């Protein structure tokens, strides 16, 4: 069953890349993508996960009604279909899971779950390590992981969004991110249950494994991290990204978070700009806006030439060496040439300055 083998809460770190499912991306991409999950989506997920939470509570009492597993299957199917369309979960092969989900809730698996629950009541947590209960343990673990998905996403958004905004004004280097981190999180942070900034990073496990990375095509030694919650996984990826100079940034055009991977002040993402009929990206729109802003600035070279000429014409008027009617024509002509230069890059770089001289006008 692929959903039990593709490690929903596992990341492989290698140099400045991270692998989640079958996707290898710059470190920080997973945590950044999670910031784009909307409040409406989280609310929908919490609603979808609620029946799973109720099932877990019921099973915890030892009163097992096997009919609830059909309810669990239905809930998991709805959640999988939701996640297929949502990054970073769409990095996983969830389409295959949807086809095979029914096998997890066949008679054999349900029987194994019931037997395991009774065994756990008799001998305690050690029953989870008995191989004969492995199928039941795996299904219950999947239910537990999915049940807390909506809630952990909410925790992540609440605790990390403010920090991500703080990173905007920081120096875009690992040192700058470290300074922003130190300012945002108290220096006395400890691994305690009362500390919301760190609690979701506890109970992680780490191992080093040999895995084939796309960049190399041959086995590489990677750091594999296993987490107990999605919020812990997202935090870890985001913080690991900061260590190598990767940081989230919010695009002012589409409002989506995107990952920057160098010290350049990249302001816009490369996604399609919403509502643009020409199908341009936010970066293309942003570049045009930036050019317009630069051209409208008072100290822009095109405007500076125009301003100097207008000042000269005014001085000649005050001295009485220039006729008012001629001065008015010169001003109107100068303005027309300035406006043409703003819209015509070739003209601005060519004859514009010469044509704006006092003698030429």
């Amino acid at each position: 069953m692929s959903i039990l083998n593709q490690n929903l809460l596992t990341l492989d770190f290698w140099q400045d890349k991270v692998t989640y499912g079958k996707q290898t991306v710059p470190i920080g991409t997973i945590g950044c993508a999670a910031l784009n999950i909307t409040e409406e989506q989280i609310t929908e997920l919490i609603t979808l996960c609620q029946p799973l939470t109720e099932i877990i509570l019921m099973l915890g009492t030892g009163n097992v009604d096997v009919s609830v597993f059909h309810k669990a299957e239905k809930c998991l199917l709805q959640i999988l279909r939701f996640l297929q369309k949502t990054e970073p979960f769409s990095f996983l092969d969830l389409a295959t899971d949807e086809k095979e989900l029914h096998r997890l809730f066949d008679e054999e698996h349900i029987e194994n779950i019931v037997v395991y629950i009774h065994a756990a009541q008799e001998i305690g947590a050690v029953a989870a390590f008995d191989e004969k209960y492995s199928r039941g343990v795996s299904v219950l673990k999947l239910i537990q992981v999915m049940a807390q998905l909506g809630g952990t996403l909410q925790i992540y958004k609440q605790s990390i969004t403010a920090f991500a905004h703080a990173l905007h004004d920081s120096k875009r280097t690992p040192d700058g991110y470290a300074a922003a981190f130190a300012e945002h999180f108290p220096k006395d942070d400890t691994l305690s249950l009362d500390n919301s900034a760190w609690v979701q990073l506890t109970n992680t496990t780490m191992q080093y494994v040999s895995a084939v990375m796309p960049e190399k095509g041959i086995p590489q030694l990677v750091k594999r991290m296993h987490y107990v919650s999605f919020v812990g996984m997202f935090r870890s990826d985001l913080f690991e990204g900061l260590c190598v100079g990767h940081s989230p940034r919010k695009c002012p055009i589409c409002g989506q978070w995107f990952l920057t991977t160098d010290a350049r002040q990249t302001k816009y993402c490369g996604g399609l700009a919403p509502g643009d009929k020409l199908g341009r990206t936010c970066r293309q729109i942003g570049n045009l806006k930036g050019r317009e802003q630069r051209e409208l600035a008072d100290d822009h070279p095109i405007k500076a030439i125009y301003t100097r000429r207008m000042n000269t014409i005014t001085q000649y008027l005050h001295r009485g060496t220039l006729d008012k009617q001629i001065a008015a024509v010169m001003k109107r002509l100068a303005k027309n040439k300035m406006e043409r230069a703003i819209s015509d890059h070739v003209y601005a770089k060519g004859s514009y300055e010469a044509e704006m001289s006092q003698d030429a006008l």
Side-chain angles (χ1 to χ4, degrees), residues 145-179:
V145 167
M146 288 302 196
Q148 48 91 39
L149 175 57
T152 55
L153 273 173
Q154 192 171 54
I155 293 172
Y156 178 74
K157 289 269 291 190
Q158 291 172 347
S159 61
I160 295 298
T161 301
F163 174 55
H165 280 292
L167 290 170
H168 274 213
D169 299 325
S170 67
K171 184 179 178 182
R172 305 195 73 78
T173 63
D175 290 344
Y177 300 144

Side-chain angles (χ1 to χ4, degrees), residues 39-57:
E39 295 299 328
E40 291 76 16
Q41 288 176 310
I42 292 176
T43 300
E44 183 179 350
L45 263 179
I46 290 175
T47 301
L48 291 175
C49 296
Q50 184 58 37
L52 298 181
T53 302
E54 294 172 358
I55 290 171
I56 292 171
L57 293 174

